[in-house]
């Protein structure tokens, strides 16, 4: 009887804690809702690499000039996250820069251009690959050099493995393999660079709830490849970044993305991106943490082929009107802020099995 009473008390405390958490989010004022930053994601900076993940050195420099022209502050990724989570106010226009894979071509002109401006960036690396192909990837000595010039070296898995395949949610052997990939990379970074900022980028931007739970337990901050901005109410196991290469290198659309803010919802309540064929098209619900500023609009593939159902004053159910193709997809939702030309943005990624 005593044990039953204790369990009941613990359950009650948990429920109270959950409600308090939700109330805390609901009490966030507008100035804190707007406090955040965006992250740009690059791969190759070269004219002779795959178009989909590349842009030229000339185009990269144009992006840096655009950042300067728009009056942005380039922030250190780890420091900006710490400040946002602590409720410290960042400059209104703040952006962090990141590179995935640590290709050697970024050191030819991209990193020197950042160094010349005194701007920080984060390079997510795969130690197993750079050991196999030192002529293609930055070596540990080169990464050590750039780490002394405001470049943070961070975790992208040992060999750019797939992390959510082979029924990963129930396959313990698969999960253990991925955990070892992440842990081994953390150890390599600490060994060769001398420290780790505990930042991890999902290969291919793919993730699932099982790995999010484990990463949170390890106190690792993790990044996807879905669009959007970072704020205090973000899910720090699936932070968004704006790809800025290939078709996303256009300066006009990049300007719009740079000026975005995180749509004010509790991102920790968003669903897993993994969708079975029987649940296709997927749907999810959001509840705005503040009063509606303007109308909410949702898109898929740049088209408004969405079913946007209003459940209450600030609550919506969102789904596509047709099945999504197998592979990666996403729903994007935007709402104009009180400032002309600036939008709140949310992107929910999907991986259709």
């Amino acid at each position: 009887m005593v044990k039953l009473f204790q369990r009941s008390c613990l359950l009650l405390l948990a429920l109270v804690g959950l409600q308090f958490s939700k109330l805390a989010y609901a009490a966030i004022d507008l100035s804190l809702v707007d406090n955040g930053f965006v992250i740009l994601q690059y791969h190759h900076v070269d004219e002779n690499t795959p178009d989909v993940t590349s842009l030229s050195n000339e185009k990269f420099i144009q992006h840096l000039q655009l950042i300067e022209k728009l009056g942005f502050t380039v922030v250190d990724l780890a420091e900006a996250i710490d400040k946002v989570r602590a409720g410290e106010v960042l400059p209104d226009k703040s952006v962090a820069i990141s590179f995935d894979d640590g290709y050697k071509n970024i050191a030819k002109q991209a990193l020197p251009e950042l160094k010349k401006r005194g701007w920080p960036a984060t390079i997510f690396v795969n130690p197993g690959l750079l050991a196999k192909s030192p002529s293609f990837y930055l070596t540990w000595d080169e990464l050590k050099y750039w780490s002394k010039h405001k470049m943070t070296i961070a975790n992208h898995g040992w060999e750019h493995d797939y992390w959510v395949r082979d029924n990963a949610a129930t396959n313990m052997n698969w999960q253990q393999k991925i955990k070892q990939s992440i842990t081994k990379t953390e150890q390599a970074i600490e060994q060769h660079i001398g420290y780790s900022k505990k930042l991890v980028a999902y290969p291919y931007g793919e993730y699932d709830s099982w790995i999010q739970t484990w990463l949170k337990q390890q106190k690792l901050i993790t990044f996807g490849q879905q669009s959007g901005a970072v704020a205090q109410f973000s899910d720090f196991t699936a932070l968004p970044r704006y790809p800025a290469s290939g078709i996303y290198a256009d300066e006009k659309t990049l300007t719009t993305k740079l000026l975005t803010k995180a749509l004010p919802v509790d991102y920790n309540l968003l669903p897993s991106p993994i969708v079975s064929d029987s649940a296709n098209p997927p749907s999810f619900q959001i509840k705005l943490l503040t009063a509606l500023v303007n109308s909410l609009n949702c898109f898929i593939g740049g088209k408004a082929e969405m079913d946007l159902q209003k459940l209450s004053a600030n609550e919506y159910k969102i789904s596509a009107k047709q099945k999504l193709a197998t592979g990666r997809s996403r729903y994007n939702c935007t709402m104009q802020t009180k400032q002309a030309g600036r939008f709140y943005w949310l992107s929910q990624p999907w991986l259709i099995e």
Side-chain angles (χ1 to χ4, degrees):
M1 179 66 85
V2 173
K3 288 184 177 180
L4 180 60
F5 176 76
Q6 290 174 333
R7 289 175 183 172
S8 298
C9 289
L10 289 172
L11 178 60
L12 179 60
L13 287 171
L15 290 171
V16 169
L18 177 62
Q19 292 302 315
F20 177 80
S21 174
K22 290 181 178 179
L23 285 172
Y25 274 122
I28 294 176
D29 62 24
L30 187 59
S31 64
L32 191 55
V33 164
D34 284 345
N35 183 47
F37 66 103
V38 299
I39 309 169
L40 298 183
Q41 178 214 25
Y42 296 95
H43 287 87
H44 293 282
V45 183
D46 195 284
E47 295 179 351
N48 302 307
T49 46
D51 290 340
V52 67
T53 55
S54 304
L55 77 170
S56 66
N57 282 304
E58 180 183 7
K59 177 61 73 172
F60 181 76
I61 293 172
Q62 289 174 3
H63 284 190
L64 303 187
Q65 292 170 340
L66 177 66
I67 289 169
E68 292 171 322
K69 178 182 176 181
L70 294 174
F72 270 80
T73 299
V74 178
V75 294
D76 177 87
L77 184 54
E79 291 178 3
I81 287 171
D82 287 343
K83 289 180 179 179
V84 165
R85 298 183 83 179
E88 295 183 36
V89 178
L90 294 177
D92 176 47
K93 297 178 181 178
S94 292
V95 60
I97 296 171
S98 67
F99 299 90
D100 282 10
D101 306 325
Y103 295 114
K104 196 176 286 288
N105 55 50
I106 67 173
K108 292 180 181 178
Q109 199 164 348
L111 297 184
E113 285 290 336
L114 292 173
K115 178 185 174 185
K116 182 171 68 176
R117 291 167 170 79
W119 289 356
T122 299
I123 306 171
F124 292 100
V125 300
N126 309 105
L129 295 183
L130 65 89
K132 289 180 179 179
S133 304
S135 62
F136 196 57
Y137 297 96
L138 293 169
T139 65
W140 282 118
D141 285 342
E142 290 170 320
L143 291 169
K144 180 73 172 179
Y145 167 82
W146 287 111
S147 73
K148 296 177 180 179
H149 295 280
K150 297 189 175 183
M151 308 300 160
T152 296
I153 312 306
N155 192 328
H156 201 29
W158 191 253
E159 288 191 345
H160 212 284
D161 328 71
Y162 283 105
W163 289 1
V164 298
R165 302 303 171 98
D166 286 5
N167 299 314
T170 56
N171 188 327
M172 296 301 105
N173 289 332
W174 179 272
Q175 289 189 18
Q176 187 60 30
K177 173 187 173 184
I178 303 311
K179 291 175 183 178
Q180 289 175 349
S181 172
I182 298 169
T183 301
K184 189 176 179 181
T185 302
E186 279 298 295
Q187 294 170 346
I189 291 171
E190 291 180 0
Q191 176 188 346
H192 291 280
I193 304 301
Y195 65 88
S196 171
K197 296 293 183 70
K198 307 298 181 183
L199 307 177
V200 180
Y202 292 114
Y204 311 102
E206 297 178 353
Y207 59 92
D208 194 4
S209 53
W210 73 266
I211 195 170
Q212 290 178 275
T213 298
W214 181 79
L215 288 163
K216 190 172 184 179
Q217 293 170 349
Q218 308 308 306
K219 295 181 169 38
L220 294 167
I221 305 298
T222 322
F223 306 84
Q225 295 182 24
Q226 73 277 20
S227 304
V230 178
Q232 190 182 46
F233 42 83
S234 295
D235 180 351
F236 290 87
T237 65
L239 292 174
R241 295 184 293 165
Y242 283 113
S245 304
I247 61 173
Y248 303 110
D250 178 76
E251 291 180 52
K252 183 177 180 180
T253 56
L254 185 62
T255 297
T256 299
K257 294 171 182 177
L258 281 167
L259 293 169
T260 59
K261 297 179 181 296
L263 187 72
V265 303
D266 186 350
Y267 287 75
N268 294 279
L269 301 180
L270 294 180
S272 165
I274 310 303
V275 179
S276 64
D277 185 65
S278 61
N280 188 8
S283 64
F284 71 106
Q285 294 181 207
I286 59 172
K287 185 174 183 179
L288 296 174
L289 300 175
T290 62
L292 197 66
V293 177
N294 283 295
S295 61
L296 183 69
N297 298 287
C298 295
F299 307 87
I300 179 169
K303 300 177 181 178
E305 299 173 350
M306 303 292 294
D307 183 6
L308 184 62
Q309 182 181 354
K310 192 170 186 178
L311 304 178
S312 66
N314 289 336
E315 192 170 6
Y316 297 84
K317 181 178 180 181
I318 303 157
S319 62
K321 292 182 178 180
Q322 65 284 317
K323 280 193 170 187
L324 305 183
T326 301
R328 303 184 198 106
S329 187
R330 68 182 69 174
Y331 296 168
N332 290 324
C333 293
T334 63
M335 180 174 66
Q336 186 168 317
T337 70
K338 292 182 179 180
Q339 296 176 272
R342 302 195 72 173
F343 294 87
Y344 293 113
W345 193 304
L346 175 149
S347 180
Q348 168 61 34
W350 302 113
L351 182 61
I352 311 300
E353 297 183 325

